[in-house]
Amino acid sequence: MRQAALIVAAGRGTRAGGDLPKQWRPVAGRTVTEWTLSRFSHMDEIALVIHPDDRAAAAEAIGALPVRLIAGGADRAASVRAGLEALTAAAPDVVLIHDVARPCVPRAVIDRVVAALETVPGAAPGLPVTDALWQATPEGRVGGTARREGLFRAQTPQGFRFRAILDAHFAHPGGAVDDVEVARMAGIDVAIVAGAEDNLKITGPDDFDRAARILETMDGHTLRQRI
């Protein structure tokens, strides 16, 4: 299968703090975007969807990697659609849609998603919920508990047969929480594969330090030499 990675990096990431959107901030010696792109350097094609104001920062992050830059839209769904549309000229068999703010995704997670797409039209990594779940009252008190059986924490990359997810996105009315929801509304069967605790999404200021620790204990030094 010809494989493409679609990295969504057009957001502003205001919850992460700082003077720059989180994808352009440094972590463990490289920007978040550089680390994320490096995780998919083995793919047949990489497309990076960016805010129009970020072209210079993106060009620097790409370096020598053959990455296609695509202007994003008003929200994440519009950015994904723009990226998918840009890939149609030489359409891949499968596409992995990934949040740029997950720079620590292990190669094993990526491989599991790709392997699943040999037999199913959609696949995404997830982690089973193991903590107790509370229901809160309007006053911020514990009002009850919720069952956690069968619940998973969603991660990316979320992979799909290309034509199926392209059609699903252009038919979707909007408001989906992720690409799996878009796919399911179009009737696409999505398998859950094992995610990883290290595949964190950088959201708040403290996440940068955690991401740096993970990268340093994964293959960070090797990646720096290769980029």
Side-chain angles (χ1 to χ4, degrees):
M1 295 186 297
R2 187 169 180 275
Q3 306 161 12
L6 180 60
I7 313 299
V8 186
R12 299 293 85 188
T14 55
R15 286 181 292 174
D19 298 328
L20 295 171
K22 60 187 174 184
Q23 61 267 39
W24 311 118
R25 291 179 57 185
V27 57
R30 297 279 175 176
T31 64
V32 171
T33 299
E34 287 178 86
W35 284 114
T36 302
L37 291 173
S38 71
R39 309 310 296 177
F40 294 88
S41 60
H42 62 288
M43 303 288 282
D44 296 310
E45 185 171 7
I46 306 174
L48 180 66
V49 185
I50 61 170
H51 190 280
D53 294 342
D54 294 344
R55 187 165 290 273
E60 184 175 350
I62 287 170
L65 284 175
V67 176
R68 181 190 301 193
L69 289 180
I70 300 162
D75 55 20
R76 187 185 185 280
S79 292
V80 172
R81 286 196 300 272
L84 292 172
E85 190 171 23
L87 291 172
T88 55
D93 297 301
V94 299
V95 60
L96 272 59
I97 305 172
H98 187 66
D99 294 328
V100 72
R102 292 186 184 270
C104 308
V105 57
R107 172 67 181 268
V109 172
I110 298 171
D111 290 346
R112 283 195 287 268
V113 173
V114 172
L117 293 174
E118 294 278 1
T119 56
V120 293
L127 291 174
V129 173
T130 57
D131 295 327
L133 298 176
W134 294 337
Q135 295 172 333
T137 67
E139 298 76 27
R141 306 291 193 271
V142 177
T145 58
R147 297 181 62 86
R148 61 177 180 257
E149 289 78 8
L151 295 180
F152 283 77
R153 293 152 49 197
Q155 296 186 334
T156 67
Q158 297 177 354
F160 308 94
R161 305 271 174 84
F162 179 76
R163 291 294 179 184
I165 195 62
L166 175 71
D167 292 343
H169 261 283
F170 277 94
H172 196 272
V177 297
D178 62 7
D179 301 292
V180 166
E181 184 176 348
V182 172
R184 291 189 66 250
M185 286 193 66
I188 299 171
D189 187 30
V190 181
I192 302 172
V193 303
E197 287 290 351
D198 283 348
N199 187 17
L200 85 159
K201 183 177 182 180
I202 294 177
T203 303
D206 294 341
D207 293 331
F208 287 92
D209 288 338
R210 183 183 169 199
R213 290 193 297 270
I214 294 170
L215 290 166
E216 291 289 358
T217 57
M218 291 175 67
D219 51 354
H221 296 295
T222 302
L223 286 171
R224 286 191 201 129
Q225 294 169 4
R226 188 174 67 213
I227 294 175

